[in-house]
């Protein structure tokens, strides 16, 4: 079960041969979902094994401080990070793709946004087929505007619709470091030897917003004239800014318990 199974209604509408998914809270009150979202946030910033090792060696205050130093402090970065976290959780619970790398663990600094594609999901091949990739742009705004979606569309179309080469190389390197040499080699083969056909690609434009995203996202999706399968997801939580603040407050409170 995931947060999207427990707390949200997802309705699907066909647009231009693709799907638009509107994701809304089952209840207007966002408080019940805060605890579940806060529970997944730390894993996106730091490897649980690293925290466990510090806990065993140095105790709970040190382990809590280790995570605390990874959490962003500004509203803008918390908003962007939570958008990527929710997009990752959605991909893993509602699509066939997995997201093997939690990119936020490699922040240069907690007050600096990371470069590259927001999220890259991978569908590992079976029966000697080639891997498939989902390239995702996640946008978090209290009030969603058309220009934000235009920029997301441009980012998805960049590099001929494939993942940015440096972003995919980053994913492969981190996967190899985790010990999954087979998957890392498959990614290297796709990028460096075989090439990535458009049939191996899918895109997701994921928004997390307080305003109603439906019309704008369907407009952008309807205008798409490429040949890569598209997913458009609009997650709406009306008290967007308060929800973000409440989630990070819950994370901080958990460190103090």
């Amino acid at each position: 079960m995931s947060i999207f199974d427990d707390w949200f209604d997802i309705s699907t509408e066909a647009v231009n041969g693709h799907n638009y998914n509107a994701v809304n809270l089952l209840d207007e009150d966002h408080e019940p979902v805060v605890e579940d979202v806060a529970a997944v946030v730390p894993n996106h910033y730091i490897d649980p094994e690293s925290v466990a090792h510090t806990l065993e060696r140095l105790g709970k205050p040190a382990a809590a401080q280790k995570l605390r130093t990874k959490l962003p402090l500004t509203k803008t970065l918390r908003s962007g990070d939570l958008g990527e976290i929710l997009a990752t959780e959605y991909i893993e619970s509602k699509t066939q793709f997995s997201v093997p790398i939690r990119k936020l663990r490699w922040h240069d600094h907690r007050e600096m946004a990371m470069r590259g594609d927001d999220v890259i999901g991978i569908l590992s091949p079976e029966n000697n087929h080639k891997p498939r990739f989902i390239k995702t742009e996640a946008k978090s705004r209290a009030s969603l505007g058309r220009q934000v979606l235009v920029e997301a569309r441009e980012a998805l179309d960049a590099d001929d619709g494939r993942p940015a080469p440096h972003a995919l190389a980053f994913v492969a390197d981190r996967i190899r470091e985790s010990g999954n040499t087979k998957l890392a080699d498959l990614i290297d083969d796709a990028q460096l030897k075989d090439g990535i056909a458009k049939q191996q690609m899918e895109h997701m434009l994921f928004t997390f917003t307080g305003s109603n995203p439906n019309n704008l996202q369907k407009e952008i999706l309807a205008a798409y004239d490429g040949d890569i399968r598209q997913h458009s997801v609009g997650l709406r939580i009306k008290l967007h800014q308060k929800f973000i603040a409440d989630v990070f407050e819950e994370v901080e409170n958990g460190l103090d318990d």
Side-chain angles (χ1 to χ4, degrees):
M1 298 291 286
S2 77
I3 57 172
F4 294 102
D5 296 318
D6 293 338
W7 301 112
F8 294 91
D9 172 71
I10 302 176
S11 60
T12 302
E13 180 179 345
V15 178
N16 189 23
H18 307 283
N19 285 338
Y20 173 67
N21 293 325
V23 184
N24 293 282
L25 283 173
L26 292 170
D27 192 305
E28 288 295 315
D29 180 13
H30 72 238
E31 291 302 322
V33 74
V34 164
E35 184 175 344
D36 281 3
V37 173
V40 306
V41 165
N43 180 56
H44 285 264
Y45 286 103
I46 194 165
D47 186 345
E49 291 186 6
S50 176
V51 175
H53 183 67
T54 301
L55 178 64
E56 182 179 353
R57 290 186 60 248
L58 302 175
K60 186 169 183 178
Q65 182 61 21
K66 187 171 188 173
L67 174 58
R68 188 175 283 111
T69 59
K70 302 278 284 186
L71 298 174
L73 299 176
T74 65
K75 291 182 179 180
T76 299
L77 282 171
R78 286 185 169 191
S79 175
D81 282 5
L82 193 56
E84 290 190 23
I85 289 168
L86 291 169
T88 298
E89 296 293 326
Y90 185 89
I91 289 168
E92 293 212 313
S93 66
K94 294 301 176 184
T95 77
Q96 295 179 299
F97 293 88
S98 64
V99 183
I101 293 300
R102 299 296 188 252
K103 192 180 76 171
L104 296 176
R105 294 179 186 177
W106 285 272
H107 259 310
D108 293 336
H109 188 283
R110 66 177 176 176
E111 295 307 321
M112 292 177 61
M114 292 192 72
R115 297 175 295 276
D117 301 323
D118 289 340
V119 184
I120 297 176
I122 301 170
L123 181 59
S124 297
E126 296 180 359
N127 301 322
N128 296 320
H129 291 120
K130 295 181 178 180
R132 296 179 60 84
F133 302 92
I134 186 164
K135 177 182 179 181
T136 303
E137 281 294 307
K139 298 297 182 183
S140 177
R141 297 290 191 279
S143 181
L144 191 66
R146 180 177 285 101
Q147 185 58 33
V148 173
L149 298 181
V150 169
E151 292 170 1
R153 179 72 267 159
E154 290 173 350
L156 289 171
D157 291 339
D159 297 292
D160 203 24
R162 278 81 167 180
H166 69 279
L168 196 55
F170 175 87
V171 169
D173 288 344
R174 301 293 81 75
I175 290 173
R176 181 170 287 105
E177 289 169 359
S178 73
N180 193 345
T181 302
K182 181 178 180 181
L183 180 56
D185 287 348
L186 285 171
I187 295 171
D188 279 349
D189 287 349
Q191 183 171 20
L192 304 173
K193 185 182 72 171
D194 303 326
I196 301 174
K198 290 192 174 181
Q199 292 76 12
Q200 292 172 252
M201 285 301 308
E202 300 184 22
H203 289 165
M204 178 178 288
L205 199 168
F206 183 99
T207 66
F208 164 44
T209 181
S211 60
N212 189 330
N214 296 345
N215 289 339
L216 284 175
Q217 280 193 247
K218 287 189 284 186
E219 175 187 314
I220 293 294
L221 187 58
Y224 177 70
D225 60 358
D227 49 8
I228 293 176
R229 183 184 179 190
Q230 301 294 305
H231 305 265
S232 188
V233 179
L235 168 60
R236 186 186 188 192
I237 296 180
K238 291 183 179 179
L239 298 179
H240 175 270
Q241 294 293 298
K242 187 175 188 305
F243 179 77
I244 296 167
D246 289 351
V247 166
F248 279 92
E249 181 180 7
E250 182 71 19
V251 174
E252 293 274 5
N253 289 343
L255 298 179
D256 294 329
D257 288 343

